[in-house]
Amino acid sequence: MADFETIIYEKQNDVGYVTLNRPQNLNAYNIQMRDELYQVLGAIKDDPEVRVAILKGAGERAFCAGADLSEFLTAPSPVIARQVRWERDVWGLFLSIDKPLIAALHGYVLGSGLEMALCCDIRVASEDVQFGVPEMGLGIIPAAGGSQTLPRVIGRGHALEMLLSGRWVKAEEAYRLKLVNRVVPREELLPTVEKLANKIKACSPIALSYAKQAITQGLDLSLEQGIELEARLGDCLVSQPS
Ligand code: COA
């Protein structure tokens, strides 16, 4: 795969590692990162050698401090800047991947950084993590699915409070809100996530894909429809050649 400027993509032992790599700008999400992430996510989706992927941020200070504000300043308005940024449906692609995605979160996880983390299936954070949704302060609303994914993860009231007040949430509260599955010391973040990825990748890829579909798609269905979905996927699994 091509060398990227804003992302490092590596494959090791069936695990895809995606590192947001603009540490000097706290891994802020710019147009180039959008284009590169789009390619990398496509590769993860289609490559049978990748069974699970880990998303992380380079540097000591941030997973991602949100959209690149310097691009806001070069466009006629923040809204237009954002429109350009979202021309590629990175978020649709993220959510269409039927392999488990794990976010390893440290430092600042703001705006689209948080939205990226919410597109992942499992979120593990280090003790220094800080989550925030600064969009309202800039006169915009989330545009990477955050207004839909955040309440689905932490519930309507907490999502509205984070969004409307702009209040940041630190590790302990994030765990309490179920925004993250686990909080670990900084030096244990990657080893913890890798251990989890190794455990997950030992399962049959097709079973992993169906389990993810059953849970993620089922959440948007009634219980009855969800149970039908589970039965249908279970039948497909049984009829797969072993
Ligand atoms: N876009 C572009 N550059 C960013 C950025 C962003 N979202 N967030 C941080 N940076 C850059 C800073 O401009 C700075 O660059 P410089 O060293 O060339 O001046 C560098 O990253 C370090 O950030 P700095 O602000 O100096 O660190 P800090 O510890 O004082 O503050 C934050 C950290 C995260 C509180 C602060 O950077 C911030 O509020 N960032 C913007 C968050 C935001 O509103 N994101 C948009 C959401 S839609």
Side-chain angles (χ1 to χ4, degrees), residues 123-129 171-172 174-175 180-185:
R123 285 166 290 280
V124 179
S126 58
E127 288 161 344
D128 63 347
V129 81
E172 194 187 320
Y175 179 69
V180 296
N181 295 58
R182 286 189 219 179
V183 176
V184 296

Side-chain angles (χ1 to χ4, degrees), residues 1 10 16 23 27 43-44 57 63 70 80 106 109 116-117 129 150 167 191 202 207 216 230:
M1 172 158 275
E10 298 156 301
N27 301 319
I44 288 172
F63 170 76
S70 67
I80 292 174
H106 76 284
V109 183
M116 267 187 256
V129 81
L150 187 61
R167 188 172 70 78
T216 54
E230 183 191 77

Side-chain angles (χ1 to χ4, degrees), residues 24-217:
Q24 68 287 2
N25 301 104
L26 306 183
N27 301 319
Y29 182 84
N30 66 359
I31 292 172
Q32 189 168 357
M33 188 182 280
R34 173 204 68 183
D35 290 344
E36 294 182 351
L37 191 58
Y38 193 80
Q39 287 187 57
V40 166
L41 292 175
I44 288 172
K45 183 172 175 167
D46 295 338
D47 183 349
E49 284 178 7
V50 176
R51 294 191 168 199
V52 49
I54 293 172
L55 192 64
K56 61 191 176 76
E60 286 308 308
R61 301 194 54 211
F63 170 76
C64 170
D68 190 317
L69 294 175
S70 67
E71 288 181 351
F72 278 23
L73 302 175
T74 57
S77 76
V79 174
I80 292 174
R82 199 180 54 182
Q83 241 166 0
V84 171
R85 190 171 303 102
W86 306 145
E87 262 164 16
R88 279 199 173 164
D89 186 11
V90 171
W91 318 107
L93 180 56
F94 240 123
L95 296 172
S96 73
I97 296 175
D98 63 358
K99 299 171 185 178
L101 305 176
I102 309 175
L105 304 167
H106 76 284
Y108 298 112
V109 183
L110 306 176
S112 35
L114 173 54
E115 293 177 285
M116 267 187 256
L118 288 163
C119 288
C120 295
D121 303 302
I122 299 172
R123 285 166 290 280
V124 179
S126 58
E127 288 161 344
D128 63 347
V129 81
Q130 297 193 60
F131 295 97
V133 193
E135 276 88 342
M136 296 295 286
L138 298 163
I140 53 179
I141 64 167
S147 67
Q148 303 306 304
T149 49
L150 187 61
R152 278 169 169 74
V153 172
I154 66 173
R156 170 180 162 158
H158 292 300
L160 274 167
E161 187 189 335
M162 274 187 83
L163 177 60
L164 301 186
S165 73
R167 188 172 70 78
W168 288 16
V169 163
K170 294 188 178 177
E172 194 187 320
E173 185 179 4
Y175 179 69
R176 198 159 32 80
L177 294 177
K178 301 189 168 64
L179 181 52
V180 296
N181 295 58
R182 286 189 219 179
V183 176
V184 296
R186 179 76 180 87
E187 65 278 10
E188 287 174 25
L189 181 60
L190 194 55
T192 303
V193 164
E194 286 181 319
K195 206 166 155 188
L196 196 56
N198 287 334
K199 203 155 194 180
I200 290 172
K201 77 172 196 207
C203 303
S204 131
I206 189 86
L208 280 178
S209 151
Y210 286 2
K212 176 165 170 174
Q213 283 179 55
I215 289 190
T216 54
Q217 293 175 15

